[in-house]
Amino acid sequence: MKEKALLLSLLLFTATGQAAVREPAKQQVARAQLAYQAGDYGASAGIYGEVAGSLADNGGIFEQELLYSGASAAAMAGNRDQALDFLERAVKAGLMQADRIRHDASLASLQGDPRLEALLTDIATRKARSDKIWNSPGFAVAYSESLSEDQRVAGLSRLWSEAKFSFANFDRVPDLDWDALYLETLPKVRAAPDTYAYYRELQAFISRLQDGHSTLVLRSASVRDRFQARPGLSTSYVEGRVLVRDVFDPALRAAGIKRGWELLTIDGEPVSVYAERELRPYTSASTPQDLRSQMYERSLLQGALDKSLSIGFSDPRGKEHVVKVGRMPSKEYTAARKEPAPFEWKLLPGNVAQVTLRSFTDNTAADQFEAAFSQISRADAIIFDLRDNGGGNSNVGYRILSLLTDRPFQTSAWRTPDYKPALRAWSISNPDFNAGAGEWPHDGKRHYAKPVLVLTSARTYSAAEDFVVAFDAMHRGRIVGEPTGGSTGSPMMFNLPGGVVALICTKRDTYPDGKEFVGVGIMPQVEVHPTVADYRGGRDTVLEAAVRLARAGGR
C-alpha cells in the first residue's frame, strides 16, 4: 500500500482544472495513507471515497491511482463490494494493470470474484487492442546470427521513433539532431555483417542521448554470455586509476591477484586507450562520473565468453604481472560473486550505526531496517551507506526515510513529455506534463531524531538518488562522499529484433523545488574521495570522514 500511496501522492491533483481542490485533497490523501498504515482500513477507504466523490469520471492516472488505493483499503477492511466499486471506476478511468491486480496482496480477498474476473477480461481486451499499436509481437524477433536487413532497419526505426516522442531529456543534448543521426545510422545498420554488429550500431545510436536510463539490454543469458561475459573480478576507479576491488574466481586468486592491484594494460594497450575505443562510443551515461563508473567499474572487462584477456597488473609494491584472464558464464559468475545483501548494519566505535543499503530492487532493505530499528535507534548517530546502491523502487527508500522525521516529507518533482498531435498541427508547442513534488507520510509511531549522514558515490543511482534527494530536501543531515551518478527516471521498455530490449527514459526528476540533478549528480555537502593509499591499506576514506562528523554531532 505504501508503494501505491507514493504514486498517488506524486500525481494527485496536478492536472489543469484540479487546482481548486489541490491542498484539501492532498491533506485527505495523507490522512487516508496514515489510517492505512495504522491498520484502520475502513477509515482509509472512507477517506479515499470522499476524495473520489469530488472527481469527474474523465479518466487519467490521478483518478486511477486514487481509486486503486481506495480499492486496496476497502479490500483490507473486508468491504468487498466497495473495493470492487473502486476498481470498476479505476478500470473505466483507464487502468490496465492486470498483473498488478492479480498479485497485489491487499486485493487477495477479491480473487475469484466474478466481478473481478469480468474486469480482468475487460483489461485483457483493451490491452490486446493497445498492443497492436504500441507493442506488436512482430518486433520480438529472437536472436539469430544474421537478421534480415528489414529486421535491422525496423529495430533502428522503432528505437528512433519511441525516443523521439517519449524521451524526457532532449533538452540536455541541445546539439543532437535526432533525425539526422537516424539517417546517418541507417546505412550502418543496413551494412552490419551480423547481429552483433547491428547491436553495436544501436548501442552507439542510443548512447548519443547521454542518458544512463536509456540503453539496450540483451534479453537472453546465453546471448549475453556470447558478448557480455565477465571475468571473476571487479574493479574500482580511484584517483584516476583502475584497481582490483574483489576477486571471486579461484583461478585468479591462485594467480595471486588481490584487492588493490592496479590494471595497467588490456591486451597490450593502456587501459584508458582500450576503454575509449571499446566502451566509450557504446556507453549510455548521464554524467562524466557516471561514464567513468560505467566504463571502468561495470563494463571494462566484459566481452565474449570464449575470448580471454591478457591483463597487465601492478601490485602495491610496483611489481608488474601479466595474467591471462578468462571470462565466466553468467550463472557461474553470479554464484561465485555471491551478491551482497541489500541491507546490513553494524555498530561502529563511538556508538555510530553504519546502515548499508545496497539495493532497492525489492522491499528487503526497508523491511529489515524496520525490523532492526529498535536496535539501530539506540545509536548516537546513523550513517546510511548508499555508495553501491544502483536503485530499484524509490518507495523502499522513502519507507526508511519516514522513520527519520516526525512530519510528512517531500519527494522528487517530475515531468514527462505530453505530446498532443493537434497542438503540433496548430503550430503550438507541446509543454511537458509537470507533476510537481510528491509527499510521503512519516511513520507516525517511530522517529529517530539524532544525527544522520548519507554516503554517496557515482554508483549511487536511480532510486537511490531519489532517496538522497528526499533526504537532502528534508534538511535532515549531511551528504558525504562523491557526486552521485545523476541518472533517474522511469524507463519505458520495448522489444527490438534480435532479442534486444530497449529502455527509454520517459520521466525527468528534480528536487522538490525544481533544482536539477539528472545530468549533474547530487552534490555532497562534504566532498570526500577515496585514495589509492587508503584503498590498498584497507581503510575507507569516506566512511572515516563521516564517522568523524557523526561523533561531532553530524556537523
Side-chain angles (χ1 to χ4, degrees), residues 140-434:
V141 179
Y143 175 83
S144 66
E145 290 293 333
S146 182
L147 297 174
S148 70
E149 181 178 316
D150 286 347
Q151 289 169 330
R152 298 195 301 273
V153 169
L156 173 65
S157 299
R158 185 175 194 193
L159 185 57
W160 162 75
S161 63
E162 293 282 14
K164 185 180 181 74
F165 294 101
S166 302
F167 182 54
N169 298 319
F170 272 119
D171 61 302
R172 288 196 50 249
V173 281
D175 296 331
L176 175 63
D177 186 330
W178 190 239
D179 289 351
L181 181 63
Y182 167 72
L183 294 173
E184 177 186 319
T185 307
L186 266 173
K188 298 177 183 178
V189 165
R190 287 196 179 102
D194 54 35
T195 300
Y196 181 63
Y198 147 78
Y199 171 65
R200 294 283 270 181
E201 292 296 345
L202 294 187
Q203 280 186 311
F205 179 72
I206 198 170
S207 73
R208 296 286 293 277
L209 294 176
Q210 297 180 33
D211 182 82
H213 275 64
S214 301
T215 188
L216 303 179
V217 177
L218 292 171
R219 187 167 49 209
S220 164
S222 62
V223 176
R224 287 197 302 273
D225 283 349
R226 295 194 61 180
F227 305 122
Q228 295 179 341
R230 290 172 288 185
L233 62 84
S234 59
T235 55
S236 292
Y237 189 79
V238 182
E239 292 189 311
R241 297 157 71 177
V242 182
L243 304 181
V244 173
R245 177 171 180 170
D246 292 307
V247 181
F248 36 89
D249 183 343
L252 298 183
R253 287 199 199 102
I257 300 173
K258 296 179 181 178
R259 178 183 171 90
W261 282 29
E262 182 179 0
L263 280 71
L264 301 176
T265 61
I266 300 176
D267 289 340
E269 288 185 307
V271 168
S272 60
V273 174
Y274 177 91
E276 285 292 319
R277 186 188 69 250
E278 294 294 323
L279 296 168
R280 188 184 183 101
Y282 311 102
T283 301
S284 294
S286 296
T287 60
Q289 64 268 26
D290 181 21
L291 180 63
R292 288 191 294 269
S293 180
Q294 297 271 10
M295 289 171 58
Y296 293 110
E297 296 181 326
R298 307 182 209 185
S299 304
L300 181 63
L301 303 177
Q302 72 180 21
L305 179 62
D306 60 358
K307 186 178 185 300
S308 60
L309 298 167
S310 177
I311 300 181
F313 294 94
S314 174
D315 66 27
R317 296 180 179 180
K319 183 178 179 180
E320 295 188 5
H321 311 257
V322 177
V323 181
K324 188 175 183 180
V325 176
R327 299 185 175 105
M328 305 171 73
S330 55
K331 287 185 178 179
E332 184 180 327
Y333 177 92
T334 300
R337 185 168 182 255
K338 296 179 181 177
E339 192 74 28
F343 169 88
E344 287 181 343
W345 85 278
K346 60 184 176 181
L347 198 62
L348 304 175
N351 200 33
V352 175
Q354 180 188 4
V355 175
T356 302
L357 306 173
R358 293 191 182 90
S359 173
F360 292 153
T361 53
D362 58 28
N363 287 315
T364 300
D367 289 345
Q368 294 187 359
F369 177 74
E370 290 175 353
F373 181 77
S374 62
Q375 294 173 281
I376 295 171
S377 62
R378 297 172 193 160
D380 292 329
I382 300 175
I383 298 172
F384 287 99
D385 188 348
L386 283 85
R387 287 175 292 175
D388 287 309
N389 191 322
N393 187 334
S394 304
N395 309 335
V396 179
Y398 297 151
R399 285 178 55 190
I400 295 169
L401 289 173
S402 73
L403 277 71
L404 308 182
T405 181
D406 60 356
R407 65 193 67 185
F409 59 92
Q410 286 191 305
T411 59
S412 303
W414 63 273
R415 61 187 185 269
T416 188
D418 191 15
Y419 180 65
K420 295 181 175 64
L423 296 186
R424 183 177 168 202
W426 299 332
S427 298
I428 299 174
S429 65
N430 272 275
D432 286 348
F433 168 78
N434 195 329

Side-chain angles (χ1 to χ4, degrees), residues 73-95:
M76 290 296 289
N79 299 327
R80 178 188 295 262
D81 287 340
Q82 184 186 23
L84 289 166
D85 287 344
F86 273 123
L87 277 181
E88 283 183 349
R89 282 189 63 186
V91 171
K92 286 179 181 177
L95 184 74

Side-chain angles (χ1 to χ4, degrees), residues 440-467:
W440 190 273
H442 61 98
D443 181 82
K445 297 178 182 178
R446 296 164 291 186
H447 174 210
Y448 184 83
K450 289 175 276 189
V452 180
L453 299 102
V454 169
L455 308 186
T456 60
S457 76
R459 298 180 301 279
T460 307
Y461 215 66
S462 193
E465 292 183 279
D466 295 337
F467 176 101

